[in-house]
Amino acid sequence: MKFLLIMHSNPRIWDALTDEERTAVMSGHGAFIETTTKSGELISTAALADPSQSAVVRVRAGVPAVTDGPYLEAKEYLGGYYLVECESRERALELAALIPDAGVEGLGIEVRPVVFAADH
């Protein structure tokens, strides 16, 4: 089964961490990638830029309109993800608990089953 382990980011929480805590979270991702690569469960991962660097495209009456900035004003935003393939939901929850962000007060990892995926 495939699962998306979604990391939401909250700048207020991230900025409240000490430099040492931020470094521990970031280096913990390397360990997570190594663990899930060795187990064969990691399919892919991506870290996303700050929403201030995004653009939203809407097509109305056949005309695209581009707006700079995030889709919605929010306290939290999608910071990145891991796509994993593992034997069960329980295993996906175990993997999510290994992601260092899960140990930061105020943050968590959303675990969502993948119901469709297309590879190119």
Side-chain angles (χ1 to χ4, degrees):
M1 301 176 65
K2 291 181 182 175
F3 292 89
L4 197 61
L5 309 180
I6 304 166
M7 295 168 286
H8 297 277
S9 186
N10 183 323
R12 182 183 55 80
I13 292 171
W14 185 254
D15 292 344
L17 298 177
T18 65
D19 288 341
E20 294 78 23
E21 289 169 326
R22 283 192 291 270
T23 298
V25 169
M26 298 308 291
S27 64
H29 283 278
F32 180 80
I33 291 169
E34 183 177 334
T35 297
T36 53
T37 298
K38 284 183 181 178
S39 70
E41 294 169 305
L42 181 64
I43 296 172
S44 67
T45 185
L48 303 176
D50 186 270
S52 65
Q53 298 180 38
S54 68
V56 177
V57 178
R58 294 178 176 90
V59 178
R60 302 295 182 263
V63 179
V66 179
T67 306
D68 289 334
Y71 181 71
L72 296 172
E73 291 297 324
K75 293 179 188 173
E76 294 183 349
Y77 58 87
L78 178 61
Y81 68 86
Y82 290 101
L83 179 62
V84 298
E85 186 163 12
C86 52
E87 62 191 29
S88 66
R89 178 179 186 271
E90 291 73 23
R91 177 60 180 156
L93 296 173
E94 290 174 6
L95 291 175
L98 297 176
I99 297 173
D101 304 53
V104 175
E105 186 68 35
L107 300 181
I109 306 301
E110 181 181 351
V111 178
R112 193 179 300 180
V114 175
V115 296
F116 173 80
D119 296 323
H120 59 282

